[in-house]
Amino acid sequence: MMLSPRRMTVPRTLLRSTATMTTSAPVTKVTNVANALVPEQEKARPHHVVKNGRITGFKNPYPSYRPLEPMKHIFIPLLTGKMKFPTVPDPLPIPLVKPTFLPSRDTPKLRATWLGHAAYYVEFPSGLRVLFDPVFEKSCSPFPLDLFSNKRITPAPASVADLPYVDAVVISHSHYDHLSHPTLLELQKHFPHAHYFVPLGLEKWFRSSGTTNVTEMDWWEDVNVQITVPQVDDDTSTQKPMTATFSCLPAQHTSARTPFDRDTTLWASWGVSSGGSSVFFGGDTGYRAVPGHSVDEDDYSPTHDHIPRNPQFKMIGHHKGPFDLGLIPIGAYSPRASFSPVHANPYDAVEIFLDTACKRAMGIHWGTWLLTTEPVMEPPELLRKALARREVPEEGVFDVCGLGESREF
Protein backbone atom coordinates (compact mmCIF):
# COMPACT_ATOMS: atom_id res chain seq x y z
CA MET A 1 0.00 0.00 0.00
CA MET A 2 3.03 2.28 0.17
CA LEU A 3 2.79 5.20 -2.24
CA SER A 4 5.99 6.06 -4.03
CA PRO A 5 6.98 9.74 -3.92
CA ARG A 6 7.93 9.52 -7.61
CA ARG A 7 5.69 11.74 -9.72
CA MET A 8 5.21 12.00 -13.45
CA THR A 9 3.66 14.92 -15.29
CA VAL A 10 0.94 13.81 -17.61
CA PRO A 11 1.83 16.33 -20.55
CA ARG A 12 -22.32 5.73 -25.55
CA THR A 13 -22.14 1.00 -26.05
CA LEU A 14 -18.51 1.50 -27.28
CA LEU A 15 -15.06 1.94 -28.55
CA ARG A 16 -14.09 5.43 -29.64
CA SER A 17 -11.94 4.09 -32.48
CA THR A 18 -14.62 1.67 -33.61
CA ALA A 19 -16.81 4.59 -34.56
CA THR A 20 -14.76 4.76 -37.76
CA MET A 21 -13.65 1.13 -37.96
CA THR A 22 -16.95 -0.75 -37.79
CA THR A 23 -19.61 -1.19 -40.40
CA SER A 24 -22.46 -0.35 -38.02
CA ALA A 25 -23.06 0.69 -34.44
CA PRO A 26 -22.70 -1.78 -31.58
CA VAL A 27 -25.94 -3.09 -30.14
CA THR A 28 -26.77 -3.25 -26.43
CA LYS A 29 -29.71 -5.30 -25.16
CA VAL A 30 -30.83 -4.81 -21.56
CA THR A 31 -33.23 -7.33 -20.02
CA ASN A 32 -34.79 -7.13 -16.56
CA VAL A 33 -34.11 -10.17 -14.42
CA ALA A 34 -37.36 -11.67 -13.16
CA ASN A 35 -37.45 -12.86 -9.55
CA ALA A 36 -34.25 -11.09 -8.56
CA LEU A 37 -33.29 -12.13 -5.04
CA VAL A 38 -34.39 -9.54 -2.46
CA PRO A 39 -33.65 -9.98 1.28
CA GLU A 40 -36.84 -10.49 3.28
CA GLN A 41 -36.48 -7.25 5.28
CA GLU A 42 -36.01 -5.26 2.06
CA LYS A 43 -39.04 -6.56 0.15
CA ALA A 44 -41.31 -3.80 1.47
CA ARG A 45 -38.90 -1.21 0.00
CA PRO A 46 -38.39 0.63 3.33
CA HIS A 47 -36.17 3.19 1.59
CA HIS A 48 -39.08 4.59 -0.44
CA VAL A 49 -40.89 7.73 0.70
CA VAL A 50 -44.46 7.28 -0.53
CA LYS A 51 -47.25 9.86 -0.54
CA ASN A 52 -50.68 9.21 -2.02
CA GLY A 53 -49.42 5.98 -3.53
CA ARG A 54 -46.54 7.68 -5.36
CA ILE A 55 -42.80 7.55 -4.65
CA THR A 56 -41.77 11.11 -3.80
CA GLY A 57 -38.31 10.49 -2.45
CA PHE A 58 -35.95 8.15 -0.66
CA LYS A 59 -34.50 7.61 2.82
CA ASN A 60 -31.95 5.54 4.69
CA PRO A 61 -34.11 2.97 6.50
CA TYR A 62 -31.84 1.75 9.32
CA PRO A 63 -30.64 3.18 12.68
CA SER A 64 -27.09 3.27 11.30
CA TYR A 65 -28.07 6.61 9.73
CA ARG A 66 -29.08 9.89 11.31
CA PRO A 67 -29.85 13.23 9.65
CA LEU A 68 -26.86 15.47 9.08
CA GLU A 69 -26.33 18.63 11.13
CA PRO A 70 -24.05 20.72 8.89
CA MET A 71 -24.68 24.00 10.72
CA LYS A 72 -23.64 22.54 14.07
CA HIS A 73 -20.75 20.36 12.94
CA ILE A 74 -19.39 22.19 9.88
CA PHE A 75 -20.46 25.78 9.21
CA ILE A 76 -20.24 27.19 12.76
CA PRO A 77 -16.83 25.56 13.46
CA LEU A 78 -15.53 26.90 10.13
CA LEU A 79 -16.86 30.41 10.76
CA THR A 80 -15.46 30.51 14.29
CA GLY A 81 -12.08 29.15 13.25
CA LYS A 82 -12.38 26.03 15.41
CA MET A 83 -12.13 23.89 12.28
CA LYS A 84 -10.04 24.47 9.18
CA PHE A 85 -9.37 22.68 5.95
CA PRO A 86 -5.94 21.03 5.86
CA THR A 87 -2.96 22.40 4.02
CA VAL A 88 -2.26 20.46 0.84
CA PRO A 89 1.35 19.20 0.78
CA ASP A 90 3.44 20.48 -2.12
CA PRO A 91 4.40 18.26 -3.76
CA LEU A 92 1.54 15.96 -2.86
CA PRO A 93 2.96 12.43 -2.40
CA ILE A 94 0.35 10.66 -4.54
CA PRO A 95 2.01 9.15 -7.62
CA LEU A 96 0.60 10.36 -10.94
CA VAL A 97 1.19 8.17 -13.98
CA LYS A 98 -0.15 8.28 -17.48
CA PRO A 99 -2.60 5.38 -17.60
CA THR A 100 -2.22 2.56 -20.07
CA PHE A 101 -5.32 0.79 -21.34
CA LEU A 102 -5.44 -2.47 -23.21
CA PRO A 103 -5.39 -1.85 -26.99
CA SER A 104 -7.98 -4.54 -27.70
CA ARG A 105 -10.73 -6.36 -25.87
CA ASP A 106 -8.45 -9.30 -25.10
CA THR A 107 -8.30 -9.21 -21.30
CA PRO A 108 -6.62 -12.16 -19.54
CA LYS A 109 -7.49 -10.83 -16.07
CA LEU A 110 -9.84 -8.35 -14.44
CA ARG A 111 -8.08 -4.98 -14.71
CA ALA A 112 -8.93 -1.70 -12.95
CA THR A 113 -7.49 1.83 -13.36
CA TRP A 114 -8.02 4.65 -10.85
CA LEU A 115 -8.94 7.93 -12.54
CA GLY A 116 -9.36 9.94 -9.33
CA HIS A 117 -11.91 10.14 -6.50
CA ALA A 118 -14.55 7.45 -7.17
CA ALA A 119 -13.85 7.19 -10.92
CA TYR A 120 -12.57 3.78 -12.00
CA TYR A 121 -12.20 2.26 -15.46
CA VAL A 122 -12.62 -1.52 -15.30
CA GLU A 123 -11.65 -3.94 -18.08
CA PHE A 124 -13.45 -7.27 -17.69
CA PRO A 125 -12.16 -10.59 -19.11
CA SER A 126 -15.26 -10.75 -21.34
CA GLY A 127 -14.06 -7.62 -23.15
CA LEU A 128 -16.61 -5.41 -21.38
CA ARG A 129 -15.41 -1.95 -20.40
CA VAL A 130 -17.19 -0.14 -17.56
CA LEU A 131 -16.64 3.40 -16.28
CA PHE A 132 -17.72 4.13 -12.70
CA ASP A 133 -18.69 7.64 -11.47
CA PRO A 134 -16.62 9.55 -14.05
CA VAL A 135 -15.81 13.19 -13.20
CA PHE A 136 -12.96 14.70 -15.20
CA GLU A 137 -13.28 18.47 -14.80
CA LYS A 138 -11.41 20.72 -12.38
CA SER A 139 -14.34 21.59 -10.11
CA CYS A 140 -17.07 19.38 -8.67
CA SER A 141 -19.53 22.19 -8.01
CA PRO A 142 -22.39 23.93 -9.82
CA PHE A 143 -20.50 27.20 -9.27
CA PRO A 144 -17.37 28.39 -11.13
CA LEU A 145 -15.82 29.45 -7.81
CA ASP A 146 -16.54 27.68 -4.56
CA LEU A 147 -15.85 28.90 -1.03
CA PHE A 148 -15.37 25.35 0.22
CA SER A 149 -12.30 24.38 -1.80
CA ASN A 150 -13.81 21.96 -4.25
CA LYS A 151 -11.15 22.37 -6.93
CA ARG A 152 -8.98 19.37 -7.73
CA ILE A 153 -5.86 19.02 -5.65
CA THR A 154 -4.57 16.39 -8.07
CA PRO A 155 -5.05 16.47 -11.85
CA ALA A 156 -7.16 13.98 -13.74
CA PRO A 157 -4.70 11.39 -15.09
CA ALA A 158 -6.67 10.98 -18.32
CA SER A 159 -9.47 12.54 -20.34
CA VAL A 160 -12.55 10.91 -21.83
CA ALA A 161 -10.85 11.01 -25.24
CA ASP A 162 -7.99 8.85 -23.88
CA LEU A 163 -10.28 5.89 -23.16
CA PRO A 164 -10.27 3.22 -25.89
CA TYR A 165 -13.71 1.73 -25.16
CA VAL A 166 -16.67 2.59 -22.97
CA ASP A 167 -19.56 0.13 -23.04
CA ALA A 168 -21.32 1.06 -19.81
CA VAL A 169 -21.25 3.94 -17.34
CA VAL A 170 -22.39 3.32 -13.76
CA ILE A 171 -23.50 6.22 -11.55
CA SER A 172 -23.85 5.96 -7.76
CA HIS A 173 -25.85 9.15 -7.08
CA SER A 174 -26.45 12.76 -8.06
CA HIS A 175 -23.81 14.69 -6.09
CA TYR A 176 -21.45 16.76 -8.23
CA ASP A 177 -18.30 14.85 -7.28
CA HIS A 178 -19.92 11.68 -8.72
CA LEU A 179 -22.17 12.94 -11.52
CA SER A 180 -20.78 15.52 -13.93
CA HIS A 181 -22.70 17.16 -16.75
CA PRO A 182 -19.55 18.30 -18.67
CA THR A 183 -18.13 14.77 -18.43
CA LEU A 184 -21.43 13.35 -19.66
CA LEU A 185 -21.30 15.61 -22.72
CA GLU A 186 -17.77 14.40 -23.46
CA LEU A 187 -18.88 10.78 -23.14
CA GLN A 188 -21.79 11.41 -25.51
CA LYS A 189 -19.36 12.88 -28.01
CA HIS A 190 -16.79 10.08 -27.94
CA PHE A 191 -18.96 7.08 -27.01
CA PRO A 192 -22.50 7.75 -28.29
CA HIS A 193 -23.56 4.13 -27.84
CA ALA A 194 -22.47 3.71 -24.20
CA HIS A 195 -25.29 2.63 -21.89
CA TYR A 196 -25.85 4.32 -18.52
CA PHE A 197 -27.00 2.53 -15.36
CA VAL A 198 -28.35 4.92 -12.74
CA PRO A 199 -30.33 4.78 -9.47
CA LEU A 200 -34.07 5.34 -9.44
CA GLY A 201 -35.14 8.85 -10.35
CA LEU A 202 -32.06 9.88 -12.34
CA GLU A 203 -33.24 8.77 -15.79
CA LYS A 204 -35.10 12.05 -16.28
CA TRP A 205 -31.90 14.07 -15.69
CA PHE A 206 -29.97 11.97 -18.20
CA ARG A 207 -32.67 12.24 -20.85
CA SER A 208 -32.84 16.00 -20.37
CA SER A 209 -29.07 16.02 -20.99
CA GLY A 210 -29.48 14.22 -24.31
CA THR A 211 -28.78 10.65 -23.20
CA THR A 212 -31.41 8.08 -24.18
CA ASN A 213 -29.32 4.95 -23.54
CA VAL A 214 -30.16 4.87 -19.85
CA THR A 215 -31.60 2.30 -17.45
CA GLU A 216 -32.65 3.41 -13.97
CA MET A 217 -32.86 0.81 -11.23
CA ASP A 218 -33.99 0.35 -7.65
CA TRP A 219 -32.06 -1.44 -4.91
CA TRP A 220 -31.93 -5.21 -5.40
CA GLU A 221 -32.88 -5.03 -9.08
CA ASP A 222 -30.74 -6.87 -11.64
CA VAL A 223 -30.51 -6.56 -15.41
CA ASN A 224 -28.78 -8.80 -17.88
CA VAL A 225 -26.89 -7.01 -20.62
CA GLN A 226 -25.76 -8.32 -24.01
CA ILE A 227 -23.48 -6.20 -26.18
CA THR A 228 -22.76 -7.16 -29.76
CA VAL A 229 -19.79 -5.47 -31.40
CA PRO A 230 -19.97 -5.41 -35.22
CA GLN A 231 -17.10 -6.86 -37.17
CA VAL A 232 -14.19 -4.57 -37.91
CA ASP A 233 -13.62 -3.68 -41.57
CA ASP A 234 -10.23 -5.39 -41.77
CA ASP A 235 -11.36 -8.48 -39.88
CA THR A 236 -13.69 -11.17 -41.22
CA SER A 237 -14.58 -12.40 -37.75
CA THR A 238 -17.45 -11.19 -35.60
CA GLN A 239 -16.84 -10.93 -31.90
CA LYS A 240 -18.96 -13.10 -29.63
CA PRO A 241 -21.51 -10.94 -27.78
CA MET A 242 -20.37 -9.78 -24.37
CA THR A 243 -22.75 -10.52 -21.50
CA ALA A 244 -22.95 -9.03 -18.03
CA THR A 245 -25.23 -8.62 -15.04
CA PHE A 246 -25.65 -5.22 -13.40
CA SER A 247 -27.07 -5.17 -9.88
CA CYS A 248 -28.28 -1.99 -8.17
CA LEU A 249 -27.52 -2.39 -4.46
CA PRO A 250 -28.02 -0.37 -1.26
CA ALA A 251 -25.80 2.36 0.12
CA GLN A 252 -26.18 4.78 3.02
CA HIS A 253 -26.09 8.31 1.67
CA THR A 254 -28.20 11.22 0.36
CA SER A 255 -28.74 12.99 -2.96
CA ALA A 256 -29.21 16.52 -4.32
CA ARG A 257 -28.08 18.78 -7.14
CA THR A 258 -29.94 21.89 -5.99
CA PRO A 259 -31.35 23.14 -2.68
CA PHE A 260 -34.78 21.96 -3.84
CA ASP A 261 -34.31 18.30 -4.81
CA ARG A 262 -32.80 16.72 -1.71
CA ASP A 263 -33.30 12.94 -1.64
CA THR A 264 -35.67 12.94 -4.62
CA THR A 265 -33.36 10.53 -6.46
CA LEU A 266 -31.89 7.32 -5.10
CA TRP A 267 -28.27 6.61 -4.14
CA ALA A 268 -26.75 3.16 -4.64
CA SER A 269 -23.80 0.84 -4.65
CA TRP A 270 -23.46 -1.57 -7.58
CA GLY A 271 -22.40 -5.06 -8.51
CA VAL A 272 -21.21 -5.88 -12.03
CA SER A 273 -20.28 -9.38 -13.16
CA SER A 274 -19.00 -10.39 -16.58
CA GLY A 275 -16.65 -12.98 -18.02
CA GLY A 276 -16.36 -14.83 -14.72
CA SER A 277 -15.26 -11.73 -12.76
CA SER A 278 -17.30 -9.56 -10.41
CA VAL A 279 -16.89 -6.05 -9.01
CA PHE A 280 -18.59 -4.35 -6.07
CA PHE A 281 -18.65 -0.57 -6.42
CA GLY A 282 -19.33 1.20 -3.13
CA GLY A 283 -19.70 4.64 -4.70
CA ASP A 284 -20.33 6.92 -1.73
CA THR A 285 -21.64 5.54 1.54
CA GLY A 286 -21.64 5.70 5.30
CA TYR A 287 -21.65 2.65 7.57
CA ARG A 288 -22.51 3.83 11.09
CA ALA A 289 -23.50 7.24 12.46
CA VAL A 290 -20.96 8.09 15.15
CA PRO A 291 -21.96 10.73 17.74
CA GLY A 292 -19.76 13.71 18.52
CA HIS A 293 -16.44 12.81 20.10
CA SER A 294 -12.89 14.11 20.29
CA VAL A 295 -10.68 13.87 17.22
CA ASP A 296 -8.37 11.34 18.87
CA GLU A 297 -11.10 9.09 20.24
CA ASP A 298 -11.29 5.58 18.82
CA ASP A 299 -14.91 4.99 17.84
CA TYR A 300 -14.22 1.30 17.14
CA SER A 301 -13.23 0.64 20.74
CA PRO A 302 -15.43 -1.71 22.82
CA THR A 303 -17.21 1.27 24.39
CA HIS A 304 -18.66 2.10 20.97
CA ASP A 305 -19.88 -1.38 20.06
CA HIS A 306 -23.45 -0.24 20.66
CA ILE A 307 -23.41 2.08 17.62
CA PRO A 308 -25.66 0.46 14.98
CA ARG A 309 -24.06 -0.77 11.76
CA ASN A 310 -25.74 -0.76 8.39
CA PRO A 311 -26.99 -4.35 7.91
CA GLN A 312 -27.34 -4.03 4.15
CA PHE A 313 -23.68 -4.68 3.42
CA LYS A 314 -23.88 -8.13 4.96
CA MET A 315 -27.04 -8.68 2.90
CA ILE A 316 -25.04 -7.74 -0.20
CA GLY A 317 -22.26 -10.15 0.71
CA HIS A 318 -24.73 -12.95 1.42
CA HIS A 319 -26.95 -12.50 -1.65
CA LYS A 320 -24.49 -11.14 -4.24
CA GLY A 321 -20.99 -12.02 -3.05
CA PRO A 322 -18.29 -12.97 -3.15
CA PHE A 323 -16.79 -10.26 -5.35
CA ASP A 324 -13.38 -10.47 -6.97
CA LEU A 325 -12.82 -6.74 -6.46
CA GLY A 326 -14.37 -4.09 -4.22
CA LEU A 327 -14.02 -0.38 -4.97
CA ILE A 328 -14.69 0.99 -1.50
CA PRO A 329 -14.62 4.61 -0.25
CA ILE A 330 -12.06 5.49 2.42
CA GLY A 331 -12.03 9.32 2.52
CA ALA A 332 -13.99 12.54 3.19
CA TYR A 333 -14.94 11.59 6.76
CA SER A 334 -13.91 14.48 9.05
CA PRO A 335 -15.42 15.86 11.23
CA ARG A 336 -16.62 12.38 12.08
CA ALA A 337 -19.73 13.50 13.95
CA SER A 338 -20.97 15.21 10.80
CA PHE A 339 -19.91 12.90 7.99
CA SER A 340 -20.04 9.40 9.47
CA PRO A 341 -23.72 8.90 8.51
CA VAL A 342 -22.84 9.31 4.82
CA HIS A 343 -19.07 8.78 4.38
CA ALA A 344 -17.01 5.76 5.41
CA ASN A 345 -13.66 6.24 7.07
CA PRO A 346 -10.97 3.53 6.61
CA TYR A 347 -12.19 1.56 9.63
CA ASP A 348 -15.72 1.55 8.20
CA ALA A 349 -14.31 0.64 4.79
CA VAL A 350 -12.64 -2.50 6.13
CA GLU A 351 -15.92 -3.57 7.73
CA ILE A 352 -17.73 -2.98 4.41
CA PHE A 353 -15.00 -5.01 2.68
CA LEU A 354 -15.58 -7.93 5.05
CA ASP A 355 -19.39 -7.63 5.06
CA THR A 356 -19.67 -7.63 1.27
CA ALA A 357 -17.34 -10.64 0.88
CA CYS A 358 -14.85 -8.95 -1.42
CA LYS A 359 -11.73 -10.97 -2.07
CA ARG A 360 -9.65 -7.87 -2.78
CA ALA A 361 -10.33 -4.14 -2.74
CA MET A 362 -9.03 -0.73 -3.75
CA GLY A 363 -9.67 2.47 -1.82
CA ILE A 364 -11.60 5.22 -3.59
CA HIS A 365 -13.07 8.62 -2.65
CA TRP A 366 -9.84 10.27 -1.52
CA GLY A 367 -6.88 12.27 -2.82
CA THR A 368 -8.78 14.27 -5.44
CA TRP A 369 -11.09 16.90 -3.93
CA LEU A 370 -10.58 18.80 -0.68
CA LEU A 371 -14.09 18.04 0.58
CA THR A 372 -13.53 17.56 4.32
CA THR A 373 -11.01 18.39 7.03
CA GLU A 374 -8.88 15.27 7.53
CA PRO A 375 -5.25 15.55 6.32
CA VAL A 376 -5.01 14.65 2.64
CA MET A 377 -2.74 11.64 3.17
CA GLU A 378 -4.50 10.33 6.29
CA PRO A 379 -6.93 7.88 4.58
CA PRO A 380 -4.25 5.42 3.37
CA GLU A 381 -2.44 5.71 6.71
CA LEU A 382 -5.59 4.86 8.66
CA LEU A 383 -6.40 2.08 6.21
CA ARG A 384 -3.18 0.30 7.18
CA LYS A 385 -4.15 0.53 10.85
CA ALA A 386 -7.71 -0.62 10.18
CA LEU A 387 -6.49 -3.66 8.26
CA ALA A 388 -4.05 -4.55 11.03
CA ARG A 389 -6.80 -4.32 13.64
CA ARG A 390 -8.93 -6.82 11.69
CA GLU A 391 -5.86 -8.96 10.86
CA VAL A 392 -6.38 -8.47 7.13
CA PRO A 393 -3.12 -8.61 5.13
CA GLU A 394 -2.20 -5.15 3.86
CA GLU A 395 -0.37 -5.77 0.63
CA GLY A 396 -2.43 -7.04 -2.27
CA VAL A 397 -5.71 -7.44 -0.35
CA PHE A 398 -7.11 -3.96 0.36
CA ASP A 399 -4.82 -1.39 -1.17
CA VAL A 400 -4.53 2.09 -2.62
CA CYS A 401 -2.70 3.09 -5.78
CA GLY A 402 -1.46 6.11 -7.69
CA LEU A 403 -3.62 8.19 -9.99
CA GLY A 404 -3.73 6.55 -13.40
CA GLU A 405 -2.30 3.29 -12.05
CA SER A 406 -3.80 -0.04 -13.14
CA ARG A 407 -4.02 -3.23 -11.10
CA GLU A 408 -4.91 -6.78 -12.17
CA PHE A 409 -7.06 -9.13 -10.10
Side-chain angles (χ1 to χ4, degrees):
M1 188 187 302
M2 295 300 294
L3 294 176
S4 166
R6 177 178 60 87
R7 296 172 60 84
M8 295 178 62
T9 301
V10 178
R12 255 163 101 207
T13 294
L14 280 125
L15 172 70
R16 174 171 51 87
S17 57
T18 34
T20 57
M21 293 174 61
T22 56
T23 56
S24 60
V27 177
T28 299
K29 181 180 179 181
V30 179
T31 306
N32 291 334
V33 176
N35 302 318
L37 187 59
V38 180
E40 189 64 34
Q41 57 268 55
E42 300 275 287
K43 287 182 178 179
R45 304 297 184 184
H47 58 292
H48 290 182
V49 176
V50 180
K51 294 182 180 180
N52 299 321
R54 185 173 66 90
I55 300 173
T56 59
F58 303 92
K59 62 183 179 180
N60 296 291
Y62 293 99
S64 55
Y65 174 81
R66 71 163 185 273
L68 306 184
E69 298 180 89
M71 185 59 69
K72 176 181 178 181
H73 294 300
I74 302 174
F75 296 120
I76 291 178
L78 283 173
L79 291 172
T80 59
K82 293 182 179 180
M83 185 174 71
K84 295 181 180 180
F85 283 98
T87 301
V88 179
D90 185 20
L92 188 62
I94 301 177
L96 174 66
V97 299
K98 186 173 182 178
T100 57
F101 306 110
L102 297 178
S104 74
R105 292 187 181 273
D106 294 331
T107 315
K109 295 181 178 180
L110 181 69
R111 192 171 184 269
T113 303
W114 187 36
L115 299 177
H117 202 50
Y120 248 92
Y121 182 77
V122 178
E123 298 162 296
F124 284 84
S126 64
L128 181 74
R129 303 295 186 257
V130 180
L131 188 58
F132 293 90
D133 276 5
V135 179
F136 289 89
E137 63 266 23
K138 294 180 180 179
S139 174
C140 63
S141 166
F143 308 108
L145 297 175
D146 191 287
L147 296 175
F148 296 101
S149 304
N150 71 330
K151 292 183 179 180
R152 278 185 182 268
I153 59 173
T154 49
S159 68
V160 170
D162 293 326
L163 304 176
Y165 309 77
V166 176
D167 301 319
V169 180
V170 171
I171 301 296
S172 64
H173 67 297
S174 68
H175 287 159
Y176 282 81
D177 55 326
H178 295 259
L179 176 58
S180 161
H181 187 256
T183 295
L184 173 62
L185 296 180
E186 281 293 299
L187 285 165
Q188 290 173 340
K189 175 183 175 181
H190 292 282
F191 305 99
H193 302 288
H195 199 91
Y196 295 78
F197 296 91
V198 305
L200 211 59
L202 271 177
E203 180 178 351
K204 180 180 179 181
W205 184 90
F206 274 82
R207 291 188 177 277
S208 69
S209 301
T211 297
T212 58
N213 305 330
V214 56
T215 298
E216 71 172 24
M217 298 168 63
D218 200 357
W219 291 350
W220 302 109
E221 288 184 343
D222 296 344
V223 294
N224 288 333
V225 178
Q226 179 177 289
I227 301 171
T228 303
V229 180
Q231 73 176 39
V232 179
D233 291 340
D234 60 357
D235 189 352
T236 58
S237 65
T238 299
Q239 181 171 326
K240 181 180 178 181
M242 297 175 291
T243 59
T245 299
F246 287 74
S247 302
C248 184
L249 300 169
Q252 182 171 296
H253 203 61
T254 61
S255 68
R257 288 186 75 79
T258 74
F260 312 106
D261 66 343
R262 182 174 175 81
D263 297 345
T264 58
T265 63
L266 186 58
W267 46 94
S269 64
W270 291 84
V272 181
S273 60
S274 184
S277 293
S278 58
V279 172
F280 169 73
F281 177 62
D284 200 351
T285 186
Y287 184 67
R288 54 203 283 272
V290 177
H293 65 285
S294 69
V295 174
D296 297 326
E297 186 176 347
D298 179 5
D299 60 60
Y300 269 95
S301 66
T303 58
H304 293 84
D305 283 345
H306 65 282
I307 299 175
R309 302 182 179 210
N310 187 310
Q312 294 168 304
F313 294 103
K314 283 193 174 181
M315 298 179 203
I316 291 170
H318 178 72
H319 292 287
K320 298 295 182 181
F323 297 93
D324 296 298
L325 171 64
L327 302 174
I328 300 176
I330 64 170
Y333 48 78
S334 181
R336 185 83 162 130
S338 178
F339 287 104
S340 61
V342 294
H343 285 168
N345 77 355
Y347 290 92
D348 298 327
V350 172
E351 299 305 309
I352 292 171
F353 167 75
L354 297 171
D355 286 356
T356 53
C358 292
K359 298 176 183 176
R360 297 173 67 182
M362 298 298 295
I364 64 172
H365 208 263
W366 76 283
T368 307
W369 314 102
L370 199 62
L371 299 175
T372 48
T373 61
E374 74 270 9
V376 175
M377 295 305 297
E378 185 178 88
E381 295 171 4
L382 287 189
L383 180 59
R384 287 191 287 270
K385 296 178 181 178
L387 291 168
R389 166 172 281 185
R390 296 292 266 131
E391 299 183 347
V392 177
E394 176 183 325
E395 294 296 331
V397 178
F398 193 160
D399 211 344
V400 295
C401 66
L403 287 158
E405 185 178 346
S406 301
R407 296 284 181 91
E408 290 187 343
F409 303 91

